Amino acid sequence: MTKRIAILGASGYTGAELVRLIATHPSMEIAALAGDRKAGEALGTVFPHLRHLDLPVLQKFEEIDFGNIDLAFGALPHGTSQEIISALPGHVKAVDLSAGFRLRDPAVYEQWYGAPHAAMALQDEAVYGLTEWYRDEIREARIVAGTGCNAATGNLAVLPLLKDGVIDADEIIISLATGVSGAGRSPKEGMLHAEVSEGFHAYALTGHRHMAEFEQEFSKVAGKPVTCTFVPHLLPQNRGILATIYVKGEAEAIHAALEKAYADEPFMVVLPLGEAPSTRHVRGSNFCHLGVVKDRREGRAIVFSALDNLNKGSSGQAIQNANLMLGLEETEGLMLAPMFP
Amino acid sequence: MTKRIAILGASGYTGAELVRLIATHPSMEIAALAGDRKAGEALGTVFPHLRHLDLPVLQKFEEIDFGNIDLAFGALPHGTSQEIISALPGHVKAVDLSAGFRLRDPAVYEQWYGAPHAAMALQDEAVYGLTEWYRDEIREARIVAGTGCNAATGNLAVLPLLKDGVIDADEIIISLATGVSGAGRSPKEGMLHAEVSEGFHAYALTGHRHMAEFEQEFSKVAGKPVTCTFVPHLLPQNRGILATIYVKGEAEAIHAALEKAYADEPFMVVLPLGEAPSTRHVRGSNFCHLGVVKDRREGRAIVFSALDNLNKGSSGQAIQNANLMLGLEETEGLMLAPMFP
Amino acid sequence: MTKRIAILGASGYTGAELVRLIATHPSMEIAALAGDRKAGEALGTVFPHLRHLDLPVLQKFEEIDFGNIDLAFGALPHGTSQEIISALPGHVKAVDLSAGFRLRDPAVYEQWYGAPHAAMALQDEAVYGLTEWYRDEIREARIVAGTGCNAATGNLAVLPLLKDGVIDADEIIISLATGVSGAGRSPKEGMLHAEVSEGFHAYALTGHRHMAEFEQEFSKVAGKPVTCTFVPHLLPQNRGILATIYVKGEAEAIHAALEKAYADEPFMVVLPLGEAPSTRHVRGSNFCHLGVVKDRREGRAIVFSALDNLNKGSSGQAIQNANLMLGLEETEGLMLAPMFP
Amino acid sequence: MTKRIAILGASGYTGAELVRLIATHPSMEIAALAGDRKAGEALGTVFPHLRHLDLPVLQKFEEIDFGNIDLAFGALPHGTSQEIISALPGHVKAVDLSAGFRLRDPAVYEQWYGAPHAAMALQDEAVYGLTEWYRDEIREARIVAGTGCNAATGNLAVLPLLKDGVIDADEIIISLATGVSGAGRSPKEGMLHAEVSEGFHAYALTGHRHMAEFEQEFSKVAGKPVTCTFVPHLLPQNRGILATIYVKGEAEAIHAALEKAYADEPFMVVLPLGEAPSTRHVRGSNFCHLGVVKDRREGRAIVFSALDNLNKGSSGQAIQNANLMLGLEETEGLMLAPMFP
C-alpha cells in the first residue's frame, strides 16, 4: 500500500532531492510539503526542475494535517528540527536529516552545536541512520537521525576496518573533499560561483562538526575512545564527496574486511584492490564506491570512499531508512543508476 | 512481457545513457551490448558509474545472437550506422541515434555528410524520430531515426509556430548553446577541460549539420521551402541545450500555439508567458521546457527551448520511440525527475 | 610622475580588479582605499589574492584625505555613486564604474534605474567612457562614466556598422552571454555555485538596464532613434562576455567597417572574416576580439564581440580612460596578455 | 639590455604561459619559437589569446639560428628534451621545464621514466630549479631543470621543516589536488571536459613520478633517506595545486620554520598560523601561499601549500630562474597579481 509522506523543509536542496527520488518511488506519495518561508508557493516555482510533478502546495508546519501521514522527513536546520520533530503526532514516523538527533551524548551535542539539546526525550529513542550498520534498529525505530554527509562517507569506509581490527585506530587521517551543495541554498559570499569555481581549499580549520560523528561511531565499534585527523576541502562541483583515508594496516586485509562487510549490501560497491573511486561515478545515486590502494610505505594503505552528498549522504539514505521503517523493500525507489557525464 | 534490447555502440555517451535509463525501465532488459573497440570488456570498466549493474560483456557486432532480440539501439557514428542497421535481421526493430537515417533526401544527406547514403532502401521506411510530431508513424515503424539533439531542441519549439502560422517563416534565428557531451567521448583538443571551461564561443561557423533537419522539418510543416539562421555555441557544461529563438510574431499567439500543441504531451512543459527555461532544470531527464517572452520591439518575440542533449535530445527520445514501437506505455522508464543541482 | 589614486568601493570585484591592474601599473600608485562596510580591514583579508601587496587599509569615504589624490575610481552601487562622486574635491578627477553617469537623459535614467538622478550638475560634464569612441572628450574630462559591461561588448561591435551604414539599423538582435562576476559579490541565491554551474538561461526578461546604453549610443551614431532586441544569458563561468549579433548587411562590408574603425586601436582585434572569438581568449585582459561570419541567409551576417567583463568591460576600461585623463600613455599597465587556460 | 629568448615547444600550455609572461617582461624578448608539429604557423593561430602579440612564426628546432639567443626555455616532453637541450650551442643557457634533468641519479631517472638517461654529461651540471633552495647555484648555472609542479608545491612546504627538524621525517603524508592543465594539451579521454568536470578522484595510484623529486630533495635536506606517502587527485579546474600535508610536529614550530625560511622571499607568502590558502588566490601568478593549522590530535599539524601549476609550478619558476641566470632582477616580469575571480 502506498505510504503517505510529509516533507518538512522542502525548499532546500535535501528537500528537493527527497521529492526527486519519491517522484519515481513505487510505494510512496507526497501528501504534504512544509516550507515556512515559502508557504503558499508551488514547489515548481521554488524548484523549476520539479514543475512537471503534481505536488501539494507548500504549507506552514502547523497547517499540515498529519492524520493520515505515515512518515515525515525533516529537512530543516538542526535547531528547528529538534522542536518540530518533537511536535509530531505519535503515529508519524520520522527521518530527520538535520544534526538534531545524531549525537547520543547531549554534552557532545552542545559542544559542537553551541546550544543545549532541545529534545532529549526523543534523542534516547532515535537511531543513528547509517543503514548498513544499524539496519535492525532502524527497522523498529520511530525516529531515525540521518547522518552527516561527510560522516557517512568516512564511517562507511572506516567502521569495517575498526571492527575487524585491521588498522591502527590511533592513526586515521581523513582527507575529504566535498561539493558545494552540502552547504545548502542560503546565500553566502563564500558559496557564490565566482568564489568557488576554479579553486580548492580546506575549510572548518578549527574542527568540522561531523568529527563528532566519527568519534562517536569509531569509539563504539572500536570499544575504546578513538579520534582522528579530519580535514574537509571544498570542491568546485555541485555534488559528491571523496574521502581519502590514510591508515596503518595491510592493504589486502583492509580490502578483505570491506568485501566481507559489504558482500550482500545493495548500495556498497567495493572496487578491486588497487582501484580508486570517483565522485562522478556515483553522482545522483544511492551508491557508495570504496577502494583500497597499497601505499609505497610499508604497512600503510589508502582507503577511498565516494558518494553523492545529497543522495547516499543525505536524502537517498533517508529514503533507504524510511523503506525499512515502513516495511518496504529497502531498495525501493533507490536503484537509479548514477548520472554520468 | 519484458522486451530484449541490444545496444550497438555502447561505449559512447549516448550508449551509456541508454543503459542508465534501461537500468530502471520496467519492461526492457539489456540482452546484448556491442562495442567493437572494447569487445571483451565489461561495461562497468568502460563506464564505472554502471558497475553495479549485471550486464552482458561487450561483444563485436557479428558475435551477437539477434535471435531473441526485440529491438536494437544504434549508437554508432553515422557512416557505420547505415551499414550495421541494414545488416540487422528483419524481426529486429531499430532506433538509430546517428544521423544515418534522419534526412529523407539522399542528395541533402550527401551534401551535409560528405558521402553517399549507404542504405537508401531502409531510408524510405525510416521515420524521423521527433516523437511528438511523428507518433503514429513511429508506432508502426521498424526503423526510427533519432533526431539531432540541436535539431530536436529547435524543432520542438518552432514546428507548432509554423503549423499555426503565428510567425514569419522567413525570419527565424536560432541562437543555440549546447553542453560538451554532444561532441562525444573521442579525445579532441577542443573538448579538453582546459579548453572548454571558463569560456564560450560559437562553432560550426560554415553551417552545422543539424541545419539540414531544420530545413527538412520546417519546410514540411510550412508547406514551402524554409531556411533559417542557426548559430550553435559551446557551453562550459556537460549536458543541456538552450535554443534562444528570435522570431517575428505576437508573443501571445506564439505562446498559445505552443500550449495547444503540447497540452497533452507528458514531456513537454510550456512555461507561463514571460518566463524562460534553464538547461539545469531538465538535466538528466526526458523533459523539454519551452518559454515565450515578448520582445521590446513590436511584433517580435523570443522563444526558448531547453532539453538535455543526451536524454530528450538523444537516448531518452530513443527510448520514448522504442516504447511506442514495442507497444509499451510511451512514458515507461522515462519519468525520472531532472537532477538539480 | 606617479599619479596618486583612490579607489572608492574596493571590496567588490571591480575594485579588486582595479587593484590587481594598478599593482603593475608603472605610473599609478594606490594612495587610498574606501570600503565602508569593511573599513579598518586590510584589503588582503577581503581579497587574499592581493595579500602580497603593500596597500593602505580600507577607510570610510569621509576619512580619506583627498589633498594629494589625482584621480578616484568609483566602484560603488549606482545610487551611492552619484552622491559620492559629487562630494569629491574639484581637483580630483573621477572615473565612475557605476551606472550613475552613463545616461545623458535624466528621464531615461529614472526610467531604467527607478529613482531620480541625484547629481545632474555633474551629469552634464560626464563623458561616456567608451574609450575608442570618446577618446578626445575623455582626455579633457573631469568625470568619466564607465560603460556597462554588456553595453561595451555590444557597442564596440555595432557602432562602426551604424556609422558606416552597412547594416539595417532596425534589424539588430544582440544575443549575449555573460559570466557571473558581473553580478557582483553580494550573496544572492541565484548566484550560488550550485545554482549557476552546469546550466544556462536567459535573464532580465523584461529588459536589461544596459539596453538604455545601446539605445543612447546607437541613436547618436545613427542620427535617428534606434532600438534593438537584446537578450542576456548567464554563463556558468566567472569572466567573459560574448555578444552574438544578428544583423542585416553584407559580411564583407561589415568586416571592412570594423577593420577600418579599429585599424589603429591597441586593444581591438578584428579577426579574419569567417572567424569567431571566444571569451577564454580575452580573459583577464583589456582586449576585445571581434569577428564577422556570413550567414547562410542572403544579405545577413553574424557579428561577434568578446571581452572580459571585469577588465575591458569595466576596470581595464576605467584605467584606459584614467590614463588619458592623467596624460599618461593610453596603454600603460594594460598590456597584460590574456590568461589561458 | 634586452635578453633574446627562444622557446622550444611553444605549442603546449607551459610554452604559452612562457609567452604570456614574457609579453610584459621588461628585459626579455622572444626571438624564436620552435614547435615541430606546428612549424610554419603563427602562434596566434595555435593560441588565439596571444594573437595581439608580434611574435616570430613557429619553426622547426633545426631551423633556429641560435647565434644571438641568450637563453632557451625547453617546454618539450622529457625524452625529446634531453636530446634537444644537449644540441644547444654552448653559449645558450637553458631552463628545461621537462623532467629530463630533474633527477641526479640516472638509475632513479630510469626507474621512474622507463628509459635510460640520454644526456648524462649535461645532467651533472644541471641545477634543480627550486629557486628558493638553489638560488646561488642557479645564478651560475648553464642548465637549470624546472621542477615538477607537484614537486614544487610539496618541496616548498616540507624542506624548511626537515631542515629545522621540526617534523618527523618518517611520517609525511602529502595529499595533493591539481588542476587539469598539468596534464598538457594532448587529447586524452580522461581529460575531456565531460570526464573531468563535476568529479574528483585520485590518480597515479601505483606511484606518481614527482615522488622521485620528493625523495631526492627530502633525503638531501634531512641527510638520510626519506620517503613519504603521496596521493595526487585531479580537480575539475584548469589551474592550481593544493598540497595538504599531514605531519607529526608542533604547529607553532612548523609555522616558525616556514616564516624563518621565507622571510625575505618575494614570492613566498606564509599565512598567519591557523589559516589555510586556496588555489584561487594564486591563480595566474608566481606566488606560493603556505599555511599551518594545528591538528586536534596532539603533536600533529597540517601544512598547506598552494601555487599555480603553470606559473610558479612551471613557467613562472622558469622565468624566475632565467632572471637569475641572465643577471636580471629575480622578480622581473613576475610581479603580476593573481587573477581572481
Side-chain angles (χ1 to χ4, degrees):
Chain A
M1 212 191 66
T2 300
K3 303 297 181 180
R4 292 174 58 81
I5 303 296
I7 299 177
L8 315 177
S11 59
Y13 291 142
T14 53
E17 184 76 350
L18 286 166
V19 175
R20 178 175 85 91
L21 294 172
I22 295 175
T24 49
H25 191 297
S27 306
M28 289 187 184
E29 70 171 309
I30 296 174
L33 294 171
D36 272 25
R37 280 180 313 131
K38 310 262 186 181
E41 291 189 45
L43 194 65
T45 307
V46 181
F47 285 114
H49 68 295
L50 302 172
R51 65 194 312 160
H52 65 287
L53 296 172
D54 187 21
L55 293 169
V57 164
L58 285 159
Q59 294 175 278
K60 287 187 185 298
F61 174 74
E62 9 355 317
E63 295 167 3
I64 294 179
D65 172 8
F66 283 99
N68 53 6
I69 298 291
D70 295 296
L71 183 141
F73 290 104
L76 301 152
H78 51 266
T80 323
S81 208
Q82 291 174 341
E83 198 181 330
I84 295 273
I85 298 296
S86 300
L88 287 174
H91 74 277
V92 178
K93 298 182 179 189
V95 179
D96 183 50
L97 284 73
S98 84
F101 298 94
R102 289 175 191 162
L103 302 175
R104 291 179 206 106
D105 182 339
V108 173
Y109 178 83
E110 188 165 349
Q111 175 197 338
W112 285 97
Y113 289 90
H117 199 299
M120 274 311 297
L122 277 188
Q123 182 63 63
D124 290 337
E125 60 169 303
V127 177
Y128 187 67
L130 196 69
T131 326
E132 286 74 11
W133 288 81
Y134 291 93
R135 184 174 282 119
D136 294 340
E137 294 91 326
I138 289 167
R139 225 186 284 274
E140 307 303 323
R142 193 176 79 85
I143 311 286
V144 168
T147 72
C149 51
N150 297 322
T153 315
N155 274 323
L156 288 169
V158 173
L159 295 186
L161 315 183
L162 290 173
K163 189 180 170 202
D164 280 11
V166 294
I167 59 168
D168 182 340
D170 297 325
E171 297 281 349
I172 302 170
I173 292 173
I174 302 177
S175 198
L176 180 146
T178 178
V180 297
S181 58
R185 208 184 196 190
S186 302
K188 294 182 208 105
E189 181 184 290
M191 291 295 146
L192 293 173
H193 186 279
E195 302 283 322
V196 172
S197 75
E198 272 288 309
F200 184 65
H201 67 282
Y203 69 99
L205 301 174
T206 55
H208 189 289
R209 287 164 164 182
H210 293 181
M211 173 70 94
E213 295 174 62
F214 287 137
E215 292 183 346
Q216 172 177 285
E217 301 303 312
F218 288 6
S219 300
K220 187 178 166 203
V221 169
K224 63 168 187 176
V226 175
T227 187
C228 65
T229 295
F230 168 39
V231 178
H233 302 72
L234 188 68
L235 283 167
Q237 69 186 52
N238 288 342
R239 288 178 180 237
I241 299 178
L242 181 75
T244 301
I245 307 172
Y246 300 92
V247 295
K248 263 192 178 156
E250 296 301 328
E252 292 78 4
I254 289 167
H255 189 257
L258 291 177
E259 287 207 316
K260 189 185 70 172
Y262 297 128
D264 300 321
E265 290 293 343
F267 297 114
M268 303 300 297
V269 177
V270 181
L271 310 189
L273 182 61
E275 294 187 21
S278 168
T279 64
R280 62 178 63 74
H281 296 139
V282 293
R283 182 165 60 226
S285 83
N286 199 49
F287 294 96
C288 174
H289 285 192
L290 298 172
V292 181
V293 170
K294 209 172 161 51
D295 195 0
R296 288 184 82 236
R297 291 197 295 159
E298 279 294 301
R300 291 172 185 267
I302 302 113
V303 183
F304 298 95
S305 178
L307 53 73
D308 180 318
N309 55 299
L310 286 182
N311 204 306
K312 179 63 173 166
S314 184
S315 301
Q317 180 202 72
I319 289 174
Q320 191 179 352
N321 289 333
N323 282 343
L324 290 170
M325 296 161 78
L326 295 168
L328 304 172
E329 195 64 43
E330 184 175 336
T331 57
E332 263 191 70
L334 294 174
M335 294 307 290
L336 301 182
M339 197 183 92
F340 171 83
Chain B
M1 211 191 72
T2 300
K3 303 297 181 180
R4 293 174 58 82
I5 303 296
I7 299 176
L8 315 177
S11 59
Y13 291 143
T14 53
E17 185 76 350
L18 286 167
V19 175
R20 178 175 84 91
L21 294 172
I22 295 175
T24 51
H25 192 297
S27 306
M28 288 187 185
E29 70 171 311
I30 296 174
L33 295 172
D36 272 25
R37 279 180 314 130
K38 309 264 184 178
E41 289 190 44
L43 194 64
T45 306
V46 180
F47 285 115
H49 68 295
L50 301 173
R51 64 194 313 160
H52 65 287
L53 296 172
D54 187 21
L55 293 169
V57 163
L58 286 159
Q59 294 174 278
K60 287 184 184 300
F61 174 74
E62 45 295 0
E63 294 166 3
I64 294 179
D65 172 8
F66 283 98
N68 53 5
I69 299 291
D70 295 296
L71 183 142
F73 291 104
L76 300 152
H78 52 265
T80 323
S81 208
Q82 292 174 340
E83 197 181 332
I84 295 273
I85 299 294
S86 301
L88 286 175
H91 74 277
V92 178
K93 298 181 178 189
V95 179
D96 184 49
L97 284 72
S98 83
F101 298 94
R102 290 175 191 164
L103 301 176
R104 292 179 205 105
D105 182 339
V108 174
Y109 178 84
E110 188 164 349
Q111 174 197 338
W112 285 98
Y113 290 90
H117 200 299
M120 272 313 294
L122 277 189
Q123 182 64 62
D124 290 337
E125 61 168 303
V127 177
Y128 187 67
L130 196 68
T131 326
E132 286 75 12
W133 288 81
Y134 291 93
R135 183 174 283 119
D136 293 341
E137 295 91 326
I138 289 166
R139 225 186 285 273
E140 306 303 321
R142 193 175 79 84
I143 310 286
V144 168
T147 73
C149 51
N150 298 322
T153 315
N155 275 324
L156 288 169
V158 173
L159 294 186
L161 314 183
L162 290 174
K163 188 179 169 203
D164 281 11
V166 295
I167 59 169
D168 181 340
D170 296 325
E171 296 282 350
I172 302 170
I173 293 174
I174 301 177
S175 198
L176 180 146
T178 178
V180 298
S181 57
R185 207 184 197 191
S186 302
K188 296 180 207 106
E189 181 183 289
M191 291 295 145
L192 294 174
H193 185 280
E195 302 284 320
V196 173
S197 75
E198 272 286 309
F200 185 65
H201 67 282
Y203 69 100
L205 300 174
T206 55
H208 189 288
R209 288 165 164 181
H210 293 181
M211 173 70 94
E213 295 173 63
F214 287 138
E215 293 183 345
Q216 171 176 286
E217 300 303 313
F218 288 6
S219 301
K220 186 177 169 207
V221 170
K224 63 169 187 175
V226 175
T227 187
C228 65
T229 296
F230 168 40
V231 179
H233 302 72
L234 187 67
L235 283 168
Q237 69 187 50
N238 288 342
R239 288 178 181 237
I241 298 177
L242 182 76
T244 300
I245 307 171
Y246 300 92
V247 294
K248 262 192 180 156
E250 295 302 327
E252 292 78 6
I254 289 166
H255 190 257
L258 292 177
E259 287 207 317
K260 190 186 71 170
Y262 297 128
D264 300 323
E265 290 293 343
F267 298 114
M268 303 300 297
V269 178
V270 181
L271 309 189
L273 182 60
E275 294 186 21
S278 168
T279 64
R280 62 178 64 73
H281 296 139
V282 293
R283 182 165 60 225
S285 83
N286 199 50
F287 295 97
C288 174
H289 285 193
L290 299 171
V292 181
V293 170
K294 207 172 161 51
D295 194 0
R296 289 184 84 235
R297 290 197 294 158
E298 280 295 300
R300 291 173 186 267
I302 302 112
V303 184
F304 298 95
S305 177
L307 53 72
D308 180 319
N309 56 299
L310 287 182
N311 204 307
K312 180 63 172 166
S314 184
S315 302
Q317 182 203 69
I319 289 173
Q320 191 179 351
N321 289 334
N323 283 343
L324 290 170
M325 295 161 79
L326 295 168
L328 305 173
E329 196 64 43
E330 184 175 336
T331 57
E332 263 191 73
L334 293 173
M335 293 307 290
L336 301 181
M339 196 183 93
F340 171 84
Chain C
M1 210 192 71
T2 301
K3 303 297 180 179
R4 292 175 58 84
I5 303 295
I7 298 176
L8 315 177
S11 59
Y13 291 141
T14 52
E17 185 76 350
L18 286 166
V19 174
R20 177 175 85 91
L21 294 172
I22 296 175
T24 50
H25 192 297
S27 306
M28 289 187 183
E29 70 170 309
I30 296 174
L33 295 171
D36 272 25
R37 282 180 312 131
K38 310 261 184 182
E41 290 189 45
L43 194 64
T45 306
V46 180
F47 286 115
H49 68 295
L50 301 172
R51 66 193 312 159
H52 65 286
L53 296 172
D54 186 21
L55 294 168
V57 164
L58 285 159
Q59 294 175 278
K60 288 185 183 299
F61 174 74
E62 36 309 349
E63 295 167 2
I64 294 179
D65 172 8
F66 283 98
N68 53 6
I69 299 289
D70 295 295
L71 183 141
F73 291 104
L76 300 152
H78 52 265
T80 323
S81 208
Q82 292 174 340
E83 197 181 331
I84 295 273
I85 299 296
S86 301
L88 287 174
H91 74 277
V92 178
K93 299 182 177 188
V95 179
D96 183 48
L97 285 72
S98 84
F101 299 93
R102 290 174 192 164
L103 301 176
R104 291 179 206 105
D105 182 338
V108 174
Y109 178 84
E110 187 164 351
Q111 174 197 337
W112 285 96
Y113 290 90
H117 200 300
M120 275 311 297
L122 275 188
Q123 182 63 63
D124 290 337
E125 61 169 303
V127 177
Y128 187 68
L130 196 69
T131 326
E132 286 74 11
W133 289 81
Y134 291 93
R135 182 173 282 119
D136 292 343
E137 295 90 326
I138 289 166
R139 226 186 284 273
E140 307 303 322
R142 192 176 79 84
I143 310 287
V144 168
T147 73
C149 50
N150 297 323
T153 316
N155 274 325
L156 288 168
V158 173
L159 295 185
L161 313 183
L162 290 173
K163 189 180 170 202
D164 281 11
V166 294
I167 59 169
D168 181 339
D170 297 324
E171 298 281 351
I172 302 169
I173 293 173
I174 303 177
S175 198
L176 179 147
T178 177
V180 299
S181 58
R185 208 186 197 189
S186 302
K188 295 180 208 108
E189 181 183 289
M191 290 296 146
L192 293 174
H193 185 278
E195 303 284 322
V196 172
S197 75
E198 271 287 309
F200 184 65
H201 67 281
Y203 69 99
L205 301 174
T206 55
H208 189 289
R209 287 164 164 181
H210 294 179
M211 173 70 93
E213 294 173 62
F214 287 137
E215 292 182 347
Q216 171 177 286
E217 300 303 313
F218 288 6
S219 302
K220 187 177 168 206
V221 169
K224 63 169 188 176
V226 174
T227 185
C228 65
T229 296
F230 168 39
V231 178
H233 302 72
L234 187 67
L235 283 168
Q237 69 186 52
N238 287 342
R239 289 178 180 236
I241 298 178
L242 181 76
T244 300
I245 307 172
Y246 300 92
V247 294
K248 262 192 179 157
E250 296 301 328
E252 293 78 5
I254 289 167
H255 190 257
L258 291 177
E259 287 206 316
K260 188 186 71 171
Y262 297 128
D264 300 323
E265 289 293 342
F267 298 114
M268 303 301 297
V269 177
V270 181
L271 311 188
L273 182 61
E275 294 187 22
S278 169
T279 64
R280 62 178 65 73
H281 296 139
V282 293
R283 183 165 59 226
S285 83
N286 199 50
F287 294 97
C288 174
H289 287 191
L290 298 172
V292 181
V293 170
K294 206 172 163 50
D295 195 0
R296 288 185 84 235
R297 291 197 293 158
E298 279 294 302
R300 292 175 184 265
I302 302 112
V303 184
F304 298 95
S305 177
L307 53 73
D308 180 318
N309 55 299
L310 287 182
N311 204 305
K312 179 62 172 167
S314 185
S315 302
Q317 181 202 71
I319 290 173
Q320 191 179 353
N321 289 333
N323 283 342
L324 290 169
M325 296 162 79
L326 295 168
L328 305 172
E329 195 64 44
E330 184 176 334
T331 57
E332 262 191 71
L334 293 173
M335 294 307 289
L336 301 183
M339 196 183 93
F340 171 82
Chain D
M1 212 192 69
T2 300
K3 303 298 180 178
R4 293 175 56 83
I5 303 296
I7 299 176
L8 314 176
S11 59
Y13 291 142
T14 53
E17 185 77 350
L18 286 165
V19 175
R20 178 175 84 92
L21 294 171
I22 295 175
T24 50
H25 191 297
S27 307
M28 290 187 184
E29 71 170 310
I30 296 174
L33 294 172
D36 272 24
R37 280 180 312 131
K38 311 264 186 179
E41 291 189 45
L43 194 64
T45 306
V46 181
F47 285 114
H49 69 296
L50 301 172
R51 65 193 313 158
H52 65 287
L53 296 171
D54 187 21
L55 293 168
V57 164
L58 285 159
Q59 295 175 277
K60 289 186 182 299
F61 174 75
E62 20 336 329
E63 295 166 3
I64 295 179
D65 171 9
F66 284 97
N68 53 6
I69 299 290
D70 295 296
L71 183 142
F73 290 104
L76 300 152
H78 52 265
T80 322
S81 208
Q82 291 174 341
E83 199 181 332
I84 295 273
I85 299 296
S86 300
L88 288 174
H91 75 277
V92 179
K93 298 182 178 189
V95 179
D96 183 49
L97 284 72
S98 83
F101 298 93
R102 290 175 190 162
L103 302 176
R104 291 177 207 108
D105 181 339
V108 174
Y109 178 84
E110 188 165 349
Q111 175 198 337
W112 285 97
Y113 290 90
H117 200 300
M120 273 313 295
L122 276 188
Q123 182 63 63
D124 290 337
E125 62 168 301
V127 176
Y128 188 67
L130 196 68
T131 327
E132 286 75 10
W133 289 81
Y134 291 92
R135 184 174 282 119
D136 293 342
E137 294 91 327
I138 289 166
R139 224 185 285 272
E140 307 302 323
R142 192 176 78 85
I143 311 286
V144 167
T147 73
C149 51
N150 297 322
T153 316
N155 275 323
L156 288 169
V158 173
L159 295 185
L161 314 183
L162 289 173
K163 189 181 169 200
D164 280 11
V166 294
I167 60 168
D168 182 340
D170 297 325
E171 298 282 349
I172 301 170
I173 293 174
I174 302 177
S175 198
L176 179 146
T178 177
V180 299
S181 57
R185 208 184 196 190
S186 302
K188 295 180 207 108
E189 181 184 289
M191 290 296 145
L192 293 174
H193 186 279
E195 303 284 321
V196 172
S197 75
E198 272 288 308
F200 185 64
H201 67 280
Y203 68 99
L205 300 174
T206 55
H208 189 289
R209 286 163 165 183
H210 293 180
M211 173 70 94
E213 295 173 63
F214 287 138
E215 293 183 346
Q216 172 176 287
E217 300 304 311
F218 288 6
S219 301
K220 186 177 168 206
V221 170
K224 63 168 187 177
V226 175
T227 185
C228 65
T229 296
F230 168 39
V231 179
H233 302 72
L234 186 69
L235 282 168
Q237 69 186 50
N238 288 343
R239 287 176 181 239
I241 298 177
L242 181 75
T244 301
I245 307 172
Y246 300 92
V247 295
K248 263 191 179 157
E250 296 302 327
E252 293 79 5
I254 290 167
H255 189 257
L258 291 177
E259 287 207 315
K260 189 186 71 172
Y262 297 128
D264 299 323
E265 289 293 343
F267 298 114
M268 303 301 297
V269 177
V270 181
L271 309 189
L273 182 60
E275 293 186 22
S278 169
T279 64
R280 63 179 61 75
H281 297 139
V282 293
R283 182 166 59 228
S285 84
N286 199 49
F287 294 97
C288 174
H289 286 192
L290 299 172
V292 181
V293 169
K294 207 172 160 52
D295 195 359
R296 289 184 83 234
R297 291 196 294 158
E298 279 295 299
R300 290 174 186 267
I302 303 112
V303 184
F304 299 95
S305 177
L307 53 72
D308 180 318
N309 55 298
L310 287 183
N311 204 306
K312 179 62 174 167
S314 185
S315 302
Q317 180 203 71
I319 290 173
Q320 191 179 351
N321 289 333
N323 282 342
L324 290 170
M325 295 161 79
L326 295 167
L328 305 172
E329 195 65 43
E330 183 175 336
T331 57
E332 262 192 72
L334 293 174
M335 294 308 289
L336 301 183
M339 196 184 91
F340 171 83

